[in-house]
Amino acid sequence: MDISHLLKNKAFINGEWVLADDKNNFEVQNPFDDTIIGSVPDLGVEETKRAVQAAKVALKSWSKKTALERSNILRKWFELQIQHKDELAYLLTLEQGKPLQEAKGEITYGASFIEWFAEEAKRIYGDVIPSPFEDRRIVAIKQPVGVVAAITPWNFPNAMITRKVGPALAAGCTVVVKPAESTPFSALALAALAERAGIPKGVFNIITTNRPIEVGRELTTNPIVRKISFTGSTPVGKILLKQSADTVKKVSMELGGNAPFIVFDDADVDAAVDGAIASKYRNAGQTCVCTNRIFVQEQVYDEFSEKLSQAVKKMKVGNGLDEGVEIGPLINRKAVASVNELVQDATSKGAKIMTGGNMTNEKGNFYPPTVLCEVNQEMKIFHTEIFGAVATIIKFSTEEDAIRMANDTSFGLASYFYTNDHARVWRVSEALEYGMVGVNTGLISTTVAPFGGIKESGNGREGSKYGIDDYLEIKYMCIGGITD
Ligand SMILES: NC(=O)c1ccc[n+]([C@@H]2O[C@H](COP(=O)([O-])OP(=O)(O)OC[C@H]3O[C@@H](n4cnc5c(N)ncnc54)[C@H](O)[C@@H]3O)[C@@H](O)[C@H]2O)c1
Ligand SMILES: O=C[C@H](O)CS(=O)(=O)O
């Protein structure tokens, strides 16, 4: 497949493809076999300042365009992403490792945010409010926040960018994106298509860097930047929140998860197994909404555990570019070691391996799809975002026990449960302390719904009619001098 027209090896600032000032680059590896895909510029603080300045200059004209003009340009960008879906997916699998089918799904999902917010751009309504004053009229209008800095993760290197840039541009903001150092090519490919779509220079900028801390500090402290939109781990989110405080920036935080998946005794067990697989093993378990703890009521514990293990044993592991592969590599060696340490800790405290769990002849960055049972709250794996293809099964007796254990975490992003009792659907959904609840499904992510978490999983919502609010300011106008 010819991806050369999308494989960019320069950063993108003010409509120009640029090198780092010191001409330094850093290499990007294919997580399947650690081969080098290419290299990109290692930009620093001075280049970042220039990108922010370019976004500031572009803001005036971009925000003055009509909603229809912005909408039409975003629509063109969406169409180009769909037109080049296969190349974008191939490039994504090369640098991130997920199976090609999943990568294609991410491109479609990512593009859908541009399509959705191309429409939402035309529906940014204000209010005319009945005035309590005879001589004054009251109006609320919505205006773009201004220059936005977006810092994004490697696990969804396309969709986590469009989920931010779509609403930001629709609202009239301009954006500087710092993608993850592991996966810069997907971001640069989006910039190549943005250029072709007619997104004006300075509106959408990409800073590639192997120095996220210093570039991140510039983005979070530069007073021109009025909004930080971050997707990544909770520890990094907390750093960015603190750094953003001195200039009182608006912040959106899409952080880590520790999703519970509860199977009640009245559930359709086969459907629950399918849902657990869909939720747990997508992207080799490297998604923020992956099931992290499976709670199974004692009456169906053995049946569920056995059926899940049998299904996981059959999973095809390998190069994401190969036909039929279901589980690709983790992003790097460090990730493999982290998952292995959690499994070792769990088994040392009594967890039992039903399948996988042994790194005997694993080459590259692979960790075998694994199912652990007899997991309990004493184990690190119960309280830690695994970010690997490891399912943990915990037995429970009563609904109250399940809810208490499910809520026993500082995270609050996604949660799931299976039941055929409709009173329980409402009771448990309302009791779970999470931003999102999947009932009788393990797949909940869609552009039309508000995606986001509570507690230490973050704040703000992405997608849906709510997603654009994070990029708007409400201005109250009190218009006097009204006389009879
Ligand atoms: N809630 C969501 O929507 C969502 C979506 C995807 C991933 N995530 C979370 O992201 C994590 C995995 O992604 P990751 O490993 O890339 O996370 P990460 O926090 O390590 O990195 C995320 C981004 O932050 C940058 N970064 C790291 N340290 C920084 C610093 N000190 N200052 C500025 N930038 C810094 C990285 O370069 C990267 O671009 C998981 O916790 C996952 O749950 C959450
Ligand atoms: O990893 C987090 C992403 O938000 C995953 S999803 O595709 O939105 O579910």
Side-chain angles (χ1 to χ4, degrees), residues 24 34 49 100 120 141 160 162 216 254 267 287 294 348 375 389 413 421 471 475:
N24 285 338
D34 292 333
K49 288 179 189 283
L100 200 51
E120 289 297 287
I141 64 171
M160 297 304 97
T162 57
E254 291 287 354
T287 93
I294 302 176
S348 73
V375 172
L413 190 60
D421 174 339
Y471 297 93
K475 179 174 284 176

Side-chain angles (χ1 to χ4, degrees), residues 139-374:
V139 173
I141 64 171
K142 292 181 180 175
Q143 294 180 305
V145 169
V147 172
V148 174
I151 299 175
T152 55
W154 51 262
N155 66 334
F156 285 80
N158 172 285
M160 297 304 97
I161 291 176
T162 57
R163 204 161 78 174
K164 299 172 184 303
V165 175
L169 269 52
C173 298
T174 53
V175 186
V176 178
V177 177
K178 192 217 72 67
E181 49 277 20
S182 307
T183 55
F185 288 118
S186 293
L188 296 172
L190 282 170
L193 295 179
E195 206 177 17
R196 285 185 224 168
I199 293 179
K201 66 177 188 173
V203 172
F204 177 49
N205 306 275
I206 308 282
I207 298 279
T208 57
T209 184
N210 211 15
R211 295 175 274 170
I213 295 174
E214 61 182 90
V215 167
R217 183 173 297 283
E218 176 57 29
L219 291 173
T220 51
T221 57
N222 187 318
I224 296 171
V225 174
R226 295 314 315 143
K227 162 98 187 169
I228 295 290
S229 185
F230 174 68
T231 295
S233 65
T234 293
V236 173
K238 291 179 178 179
I239 292 169
L240 299 179
L241 279 167
K242 289 171 185 162
Q243 292 178 181
S244 301
D246 287 348
T247 48
V248 194
K249 293 181 179 17
K250 268 176 95 97
V251 290
S252 294
M253 290 283 143
E254 291 287 354
L255 305 178
N258 183 6
F261 186 106
I262 307 170
V263 183
F264 288 103
D265 60 5
D266 66 335
D268 174 337
V269 172
D270 291 326
V273 168
D274 291 344
I277 286 172
S279 166
K280 172 70 258 184
Y281 295 96
R282 183 160 66 105
N283 198 12
Q286 301 170 117
T287 93
C288 58
V289 291
C290 277
T291 285
N292 216 55
R293 297 162 295 155
I294 302 176
F295 299 97
V296 184
Q297 199 153 19
E298 52 201 2
Q299 295 86 332
V300 293
Y301 181 85
D302 292 340
E303 180 191 358
F304 176 90
S305 302
E306 188 54 33
K307 286 183 173 178
L308 178 67
S309 304
Q310 288 309 316
V312 171
K313 276 193 178 82
K314 295 173 188 158
M315 285 182 164
K316 185 176 178 187
V317 180
N319 183 347
L321 292 176
D322 291 347
E323 185 70 29
V325 165
E326 296 166 285
I327 302 286
L330 299 187
I331 191 68
N332 54 36
R333 284 275 188 296
K334 184 180 167 204
V336 174
S338 167
V339 172
N340 190 48
E341 197 275 327
L342 287 171
V343 172
Q344 297 310 313
D345 173 76
T347 51
S348 73
K349 293 172 182 172
K352 297 287 182 293
I353 294 173
M354 296 191 76
T355 185
N358 293 306
M359 280 184 60
T360 47
N361 58 355
E362 301 305 329
K363 299 186 187 64
N365 299 314
F366 285 92
Y367 194 86
T370 297
V371 176
L372 298 179
C373 64
E374 297 182 41

Side-chain angles (χ1 to χ4, degrees), residues 41-91:
D42 184 7
L43 270 56
V45 170
E46 288 313 309
E47 298 96 320
T48 304
K49 288 179 189 283
R50 290 201 295 271
V52 170
Q53 185 57 31
K56 178 186 177 183
V57 170
L59 179 66
K60 193 167 176 57
S61 51
W62 180 249
S63 61
K64 285 232 177 315
K65 282 188 183 296
T66 65
L68 181 60
E69 287 170 326
R70 289 199 295 269
S71 176
N72 288 338
I73 293 172
L74 285 171
R75 178 79 203 176
K76 178 65 182 161
W77 193 25
F78 159 72
E79 289 165 354
L80 285 168
Q81 291 174 40
I82 296 301
Q83 179 186 340
H84 295 285
K85 179 174 77 170
D86 289 347
E87 298 119 291
L88 290 169
Y90 186 88
L91 183 54

Side-chain angles (χ1 to χ4, degrees), residues 115 197 217 466:
E115 180 190 37
R217 183 173 297 283
Y466 303 103

